[in-house]
Amino acid sequence: MEKRDDATKDANVIKQKIRERYKGVSEDVLDVIPANPQEDFYKSDTQKRVAVYARVSTDDPNQTSSYELQKNHYEDLVNRRPNWTLVDIYADEGISGTSLQHRDSFIRMINDCRAGKIDLIVTKSVSRFARNIIDCIGYVRQLKASDPPIGIFFETENIFTLDENSEMSLSFIATLAQEESHTKSEIMNASIEMRFKRGIFLTPVLLGYDHDEDGNLVINEDEANTVRLIFFSYLYGYSTQKIADALTELERLTKKGNLFWSAGSVLQILTNERYCGDILARKTFTPNYLNHKSKKNNHDRNQYRQKEHHEAIISREDFFAVQKMIRNAKYGNKGYFPEMHVINSGLLKGFVTVHPKWAGFTEDDFYLASDSIFEGVSCIPSKPIELSVNKGDLDLSGYELVRTQFMTSFGQASVTISSSTLLFNKASIDKMNDTQKIELLVMPGKQLFAIRKAPSGSRYALEWCKKA
């Protein structure tokens, strides 16, 4: 009890000392050195080098008047201030405010600020400056932290960023501007979805076609001849680069009127389904309205296909033949289909080499290929037979006898096969020592699977294993 009383007394003494310390001293013994008064934006006579930022969101010719009005307005605004000197009017036309991508004038203005060429930025509104809250607040803070600080004046909202209480208002308005862009993006996506559902598709300019007065695609025969030349040349075995070189030499014009062709531009034509009269809508989509980066649509969004939408330049058969040749070319093959290689002699006679990057062959293809080595043999399995079992019968359907080698696998080579992996044990690796590339082989009729060291230059080769 005495120890507790002593601790309480010590605590009270400490508290009393703190109270005495924080009573402070008399103001008579202190000299206060006043801070410089904060500059009043509206009454300041300080010389300012002023930059004006203007942006119109589309490059429609009708928006030119909007830009010119903004430009004239801010030139007059700067000229009315005798202490303001106009550095430049930085303007981006036809650019969205949700991203800094392609906003070259904006980036140039920020770089001039960092170079010490600008003291003040004037712009119409927060939404003109940026519709992305991170960009807006981020650049405001960067410029405010400069030495000397650089302020931004938003005319519509009457906000000056060097005021101490400006950031809360700015954050709120910037959030609203960003959400407005989000809402517009959702409305636009919904509008596009409704159009596609009704078969109303976008038809951009395309080599080989013009648009009639209703916006429908009609064949331009002169350009269509170029398209036919591209497809038939590829079917005859010419590469996209050789076709591009030939078109350049023949001085055939692109849709934009250019004389130079590239392999990429040729490939775009070869893979465009509109040349066989079809339309596949929404091949790409934009998942993020802030960065506007398009992404290939791998069934992430609905797609809509309409066959025979317009007159075809290329027959459907030729078009799909070209598509198979393009897919095949990715794996180093030049024919219409990749070859199935069957071993016709030796211990592995009847085994078919598995192409590791081609899924175009069916199960029956492997059976037929393997059986082709043996005359009069056809081992393609029939469809499963349905069996019925009566109550009380011993039902062993679904069970399989396991071979002895699978029961005593110690020291023997084995492989575990799943839907996505092949897992070999250590004994298998030891048997294939000093092997870098292997080939997979199957004989489906006898349900046999084999691996062997891949011959030099094999297109079917897979990497074996790496030593740790």
Side-chain angles (χ1 to χ4, degrees):
M1 182 66 73
E2 291 181 359
K3 289 183 179 179
R4 184 179 298 176
D5 292 340
D6 292 341
T8 302
K9 290 178 182 179
D10 292 341
N12 290 333
V13 171
I14 293 173
K15 290 179 181 180
Q16 186 60 35
K17 288 182 179 180
I18 292 173
R19 293 189 187 102
E20 292 296 328
R21 184 185 309 154
Y22 279 87
K23 285 181 180 179
V25 298
S26 173
E27 293 182 0
D28 298 334
V29 300
L30 286 177
D31 293 330
V32 179
I33 304 171
N36 293 327
Q38 186 175 358
E39 182 181 11
D40 188 334
F41 173 77
Y42 302 97
K43 299 179 181 179
S44 174
D45 294 327
T46 307
Q47 292 295 320
K48 298 285 187 184
R49 295 166 297 173
V50 180
V52 172
Y53 181 71
R55 180 181 63 81
V56 291
S57 54
T58 70
D59 54 6
D60 190 317
N62 294 326
Q63 288 288 334
T64 303
S65 59
S66 174
Y67 166 69
E68 290 298 328
L69 287 173
Q70 288 186 60
K71 178 181 176 183
N72 295 336
H73 168 72
Y74 286 112
E75 284 179 346
D76 294 341
L77 178 67
V78 173
N79 290 333
R80 284 197 300 268
R81 297 257 187 156
N83 59 317
W84 283 12
T85 302
L86 181 63
V87 176
D88 199 356
I89 296 179
Y90 300 82
D92 287 310
E93 295 186 72
I95 304 297
S96 169
T98 54
S99 170
L100 294 180
Q101 188 176 14
H102 306 307
R103 293 178 67 185
D104 298 333
S105 293
F106 183 91
I107 299 299
R108 183 167 62 88
M109 179 182 69
I110 297 299
N111 290 335
D112 286 348
C113 288
R114 291 168 178 163
K117 299 178 181 179
I118 297 170
D119 302 314
L120 172 67
I121 296 174
V122 177
T123 189
K124 180 181 179 181
S125 65
V126 174
S127 63
R128 295 294 92 187
F129 186 76
R131 284 185 177 270
N132 183 325
I133 187 172
I134 295 176
D135 290 339
C136 182
I137 300 300
Y139 278 105
V140 165
R141 288 176 176 173
Q142 285 184 34
L143 297 175
K144 193 173 183 178
S146 302
D147 187 18
I150 300 171
I152 305 171
F153 178 62
F154 300 99
E155 186 181 27
T156 302
E157 295 84 7
N158 198 27
I159 294 176
F160 181 53
T161 58
L162 295 187
D163 289 344
E164 291 183 357
N165 301 319
S166 65
E167 187 162 314
M168 181 177 178
S169 300
L170 182 61
S171 300
F172 178 71
I173 295 171
T175 302
L176 292 179
Q178 178 175 305
E179 189 56 31
E180 182 183 1
S181 291
H182 185 202
T183 302
K184 287 181 178 179
S185 175
E186 291 296 320
I187 292 172
M188 184 177 296
N189 287 333
S191 174
I192 292 173
E193 182 74 15
M194 286 187 285
R195 283 170 172 264
F196 289 168
K197 279 184 177 180
R198 294 183 176 273
I200 304 172
F201 300 110
L202 304 174
T203 53
V205 293
L206 186 67
L207 183 71
Y209 289 100
D210 293 327
H211 289 86
D212 64 14
E213 57 185 10
D214 296 322
N216 300 316
L217 292 174
V218 292
I219 293 179
N220 178 321
E221 281 299 332
D222 183 54
E223 294 179 358
N225 287 332
T226 301
V227 174
R228 295 186 185 103
L229 177 61
I230 291 172
F231 273 88
F232 296 151
S233 296
Y234 195 80
L235 285 170
Y236 275 103
Y238 291 93
S239 68
T240 54
Q241 186 59 58
K242 287 182 179 179
I243 296 172
D245 294 340
L247 292 172
T248 302
E249 186 176 347
L250 291 171
E251 298 185 349
R252 298 298 298 181
L253 295 176
T254 67
K255 190 63 178 179
K256 294 183 178 180
N258 298 325
L259 290 172
F260 176 76
W261 289 79
S262 67
S265 60
V266 170
L267 185 61
Q268 283 183 341
I269 290 174
L270 291 171
T271 55
N272 195 324
E273 80 290 339
R274 300 196 182 208
Y275 288 116
C276 70
D278 297 350
I279 279 188
L280 176 63
R282 196 176 279 146
K283 297 176 189 174
T284 62
F285 71 103
T286 306
N288 191 331
Y289 73 98
L290 292 175
N291 59 24
H292 304 284
K293 291 183 178 179
S294 62
K295 177 183 176 183
K296 186 177 179 181
N297 188 3
N298 294 317
H299 306 292
D300 300 292
R301 299 289 188 274
N302 293 335
Q303 288 185 306
Y304 299 88
R305 181 191 294 277
Q306 182 176 342
K307 294 183 177 180
E308 300 179 0
H309 174 269
H310 52 273
E311 187 178 358
I313 294 176
I314 302 298
S315 70
R316 192 179 303 278
E317 293 77 12
D318 287 339
F319 179 79
F320 284 109
V322 166
Q323 306 318 300
K324 291 189 178 185
M325 289 179 67
I326 290 172
R327 288 194 294 268
N328 194 17
K330 292 180 181 179
Y331 308 120
N333 303 299
K334 295 182 179 180
Y336 190 104
F337 289 107
E339 300 171 356
M340 292 192 78
H341 178 64
V342 187
I343 300 175
N344 57 14
S345 62
L347 185 63
L348 295 176
K349 181 180 179 180
F351 276 85
V352 183
T353 308
V354 177
H355 198 304
K357 297 179 179 179
W358 180 260
F361 296 125
T362 66
E363 181 181 354
D364 289 354
D365 291 333
F366 282 96
Y367 276 96
L368 289 171
S370 178
D371 296 345
S372 66
I373 300 299
F374 307 100
E375 295 183 4
V377 177
S378 180
C379 298
I380 298 176
S382 60
K383 294 182 179 179
I385 300 173
E386 295 184 3
L387 299 175
S388 60
V389 180
N390 297 321
K391 186 175 181 180
D393 291 347
L394 181 61
D395 182 12
L396 295 178
S397 60
Y399 290 85
E400 183 179 352
L401 291 176
V402 181
R403 297 181 182 182
T404 306
Q405 58 263 40
F406 290 105
M407 302 295 292
T408 58
S409 60
F410 180 77
Q412 297 184 8
S414 67
V415 57
T416 303
I417 303 176
S418 70
S419 59
S420 59
T421 59
L422 294 173
L423 183 62
F424 294 90
N425 68 351
K426 184 177 182 299
S428 302
I429 297 172
D430 291 340
K431 287 180 180 295
M432 300 287 288
N433 193 26
D434 297 328
T435 299
Q436 295 181 344
K437 300 283 186 178
I438 63 163
E439 286 183 345
L440 305 178
L441 305 103
V442 293
M443 183 184 285
K446 295 184 178 180
Q447 298 183 342
L448 295 177
F449 170 77
I451 62 171
R452 70 173 180 178
K453 184 176 181 179
S456 177
S458 171
R459 294 177 302 180
Y460 307 94
L462 288 170
E463 187 171 1
W464 180 226
C465 66
K466 295 181 180 179
K467 294 183 178 180

